């Protein structure tokens, strides 16, 4: 159990579980529980199976446990004061939104990479009118754009104006291996930085028990959890901008999936900003009821509205769509076996 400390330590995000936490904790345990069958459905169905959302899937299952423990502790003084339980709950809350950010990084990478290919894997494309042509069919000869019927390569004729207009508008663009390579490099770096943020969050949560006991650990925990949350916020904000740019400025990027990424990243931004705002508070006791302890009724309401609810909505949005079909991710991401690899 935790007794009042002789030094101040960082307040736990969400505060200690009190009676007021019982109903919302049960509610979110049930809501996450409703998503668990969807997790197994996506994994069991071959056409929708993808490991890109593995972190989101594990988080949905783990949060059922976390909120069940929080509800169980709401009416029990012993678990409420447990530093070990707080360390676990802080790990769960601190790593959840960062894990979601890492997963949507992989989704956005797949979406942008797919926009760099000149044609589907068959090497052919389908025009809006339904006719199928080879992209290599359009080639300048003597200053005149020609159209070659793929069934009769010897019969060349001027390309129809409508076909040329679609080409000029970016509907049919040439293959972009260098852009594809740089997208993979940039998003690969972002993926690694998310791992850094997660690692910092884990170190903070594991050391939280010691932070309650000693001032040196308390200072370290405060610094590292700010570093973790700030890094995650910057990365998620970057994802929002990249998805918006792709949706509005790159013709071949499908707007629906890109705007879904924007929506999810905005929800995660709310979580990150909430954490950055409240984490400067310190306390000398997990059971303190002073302003800033995160144990007052108003602070509890803000916690569930600005942290827990947006996080659940983000998980629900990601699991409610067939990510493999919507983002063309394949099993492991954008590197499908039927697509060419980027040239160095």
């Amino acid at each position: 159990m935790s007794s009042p400390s002789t030094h101040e330590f960082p307040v736990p995000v969400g505060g200690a579980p009190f009676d007021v936490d019982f109903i919302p904790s049960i509610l979110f345990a049930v809501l996450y529980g409703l998503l668990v069958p969807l997790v197994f459905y996506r994994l069991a169905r071959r056409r929708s199976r993808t490991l890109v959302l593995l972190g989101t899937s594990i988080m949905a299952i783990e949060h059922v446990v976390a909120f069940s423990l929080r509800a169980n502790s709401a009416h029990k003084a012993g678990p409420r004061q447990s530093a070990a339980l707080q360390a676990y709950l802080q790990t769960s809350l601190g790593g959840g939104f960062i894990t979601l950010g890492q997963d949507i990084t992989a989704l956005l990478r797949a979406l942008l990479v797919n926009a760099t290919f000149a044609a589907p894997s068959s090497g052919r494309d389908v025009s809006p009118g339904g006719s199928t042509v080879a992209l290599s069919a359009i080639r300048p000869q003597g200053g005149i754009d020609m159209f070659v019927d793929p069934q009769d390569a010897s019969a060349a004729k001027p390309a129809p104006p409508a076909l040329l207009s679609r080409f000029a508008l970016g509907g049919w663009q040439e293959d972009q291996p260098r852009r594809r390579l740089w997208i993979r490099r940039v998003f690969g770096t972002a993926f690694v930085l998310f791992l850094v943020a997660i690692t910092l969050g884990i170190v903070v949560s594991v050391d939280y028990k010691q932070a309650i006991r000693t001032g040196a650990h308390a200072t370290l925990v405060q610094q590292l959890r700010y570093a973790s949350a700030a890094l995650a916020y910057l990365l998620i904000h970057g994802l929002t901008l990249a998805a918006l740019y792709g949706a509005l400025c790159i013709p071949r990027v499908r707007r629906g999936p890109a705007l879904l990424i924007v929506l999810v990243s905005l929800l995660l931004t709310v979580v990150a900003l909430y954490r950055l705002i409240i984490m400067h508070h310190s306390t000398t006791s997990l059971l303190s009821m002073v302003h800033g302890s995160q144990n007052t009724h108003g602070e509890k309401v803000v916690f569930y509205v600005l942290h827990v609810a947006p996080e659940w909505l983000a998980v629900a949005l990601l699991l409610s769509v067939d990510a493999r079909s919507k983002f063309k991710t394949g099993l492991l991401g954008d590197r499908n076996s039927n697509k060419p690899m980027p040239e160095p």
Side-chain angles (χ1 to χ4, degrees), residues 42-344:
R42 294 294 184 204
L43 291 175
R45 190 166 177 261
R46 183 177 180 182
R47 294 184 62 182
S48 64
R49 186 184 305 147
T50 179
L51 298 181
V52 171
L53 294 181
L54 182 61
T56 301
S57 301
I58 293 174
M59 175 188 162
I61 298 171
E62 183 276 331
H63 270 33
V64 176
V65 177
F67 282 104
S68 296
L69 289 174
R70 192 174 180 88
N72 179 65
S73 304
H75 295 312
K76 297 180 180 180
R80 180 183 302 154
Q81 300 178 70
S82 170
L85 177 62
Q86 273 299 338
Y88 166 68
L89 292 178
Q90 294 307 299
T91 302
S92 177
L93 291 171
F97 80 103
I98 303 177
T99 299
L100 294 176
Q102 191 176 48
D103 284 359
I104 64 174
T105 298
L107 292 178
L108 183 56
R109 165 177 155 156
L111 187 66
L112 296 180
V113 164
N114 286 331
T116 66
F117 291 102
S121 57
S122 62
R124 306 166 77 84
D125 204 347
V126 180
S127 70
S131 58
T132 303
V133 298
L135 288 183
S136 59
I138 303 177
R139 55 170 66 91
Q141 293 185 1
I144 301 176
D145 291 304
M146 306 298 290
F147 172 71
V148 180
D149 188 339
Q151 302 298 326
D152 184 8
S154 63
K157 57 183 179 180
L163 189 62
L164 292 176
S165 65
R166 285 196 297 270
F167 184 83
L169 289 173
W172 290 356
Q173 64 183 26
E174 62 184 15
D175 192 49
Q176 299 173 325
R178 287 187 59 81
R179 175 176 290 186
R180 182 160 60 248
L181 178 63
W182 278 105
I183 289 173
R184 284 174 168 158
R185 284 179 175 175
V186 170
F187 280 86
T189 301
F191 191 87
V192 172
L193 290 176
F194 269 114
L195 284 178
V196 172
I198 291 174
T199 302
L200 290 175
I202 292 174
V203 171
V204 166
S205 303
V206 170
D207 203 36
Y208 191 79
K209 187 175 181 179
Q210 295 300 322
I212 297 175
R213 297 175 178 173
T214 65
H217 284 273
T219 302
L220 178 63
V221 163
Q222 187 74 307
Q223 293 172 345
L224 290 183
R225 74 173 182 171
Y226 259 112
S228 175
L231 177 58
Y233 168 75
L234 291 175
L235 290 169
I236 293 169
H237 186 63
L239 290 177
T240 306
L241 296 178
L244 273 175
Y245 177 80
L248 301 177
C249 302
I250 304 179
R252 294 197 63 181
V253 172
R254 290 173 298 145
R255 285 194 174 183
L259 293 178
L260 176 62
I261 294 292
V262 172
L263 177 56
V264 172
S265 60
L266 286 176
L267 289 170
L268 299 182
T269 299
V270 172
V271 178
L273 285 176
Y274 164 78
R275 294 179 65 88
L276 288 170
I277 290 171
I278 63 98
M279 284 192 309
H280 73 277
H281 292 292
S282 298
T283 184
T284 57
S285 172
L286 290 174
L287 305 183
S288 172
M289 297 300 294
V290 301
H291 175 71
S293 65
Q294 305 307 303
N295 287 330
T296 67
H297 182 77
E299 289 167 339
K300 294 286 189 181
V301 171
V302 174
F303 165 66
Y304 286 106
V305 171
L306 296 184
H307 193 305
V308 181
E311 207 169 60
W312 181 84
L313 284 172
V315 175
L317 285 171
L318 291 176
L319 293 178
S320 65
V321 300
D322 183 349
R324 179 163 183 163
S325 172
K326 198 173 189 68
F327 293 90
K328 310 299 181 187
T329 64
L331 180 64
L332 299 174
D334 73 90
R335 294 181 179 273
N336 295 333
S337 59
N338 61 342
K339 290 182 177 179
M341 298 297 291
E343 296 176 4

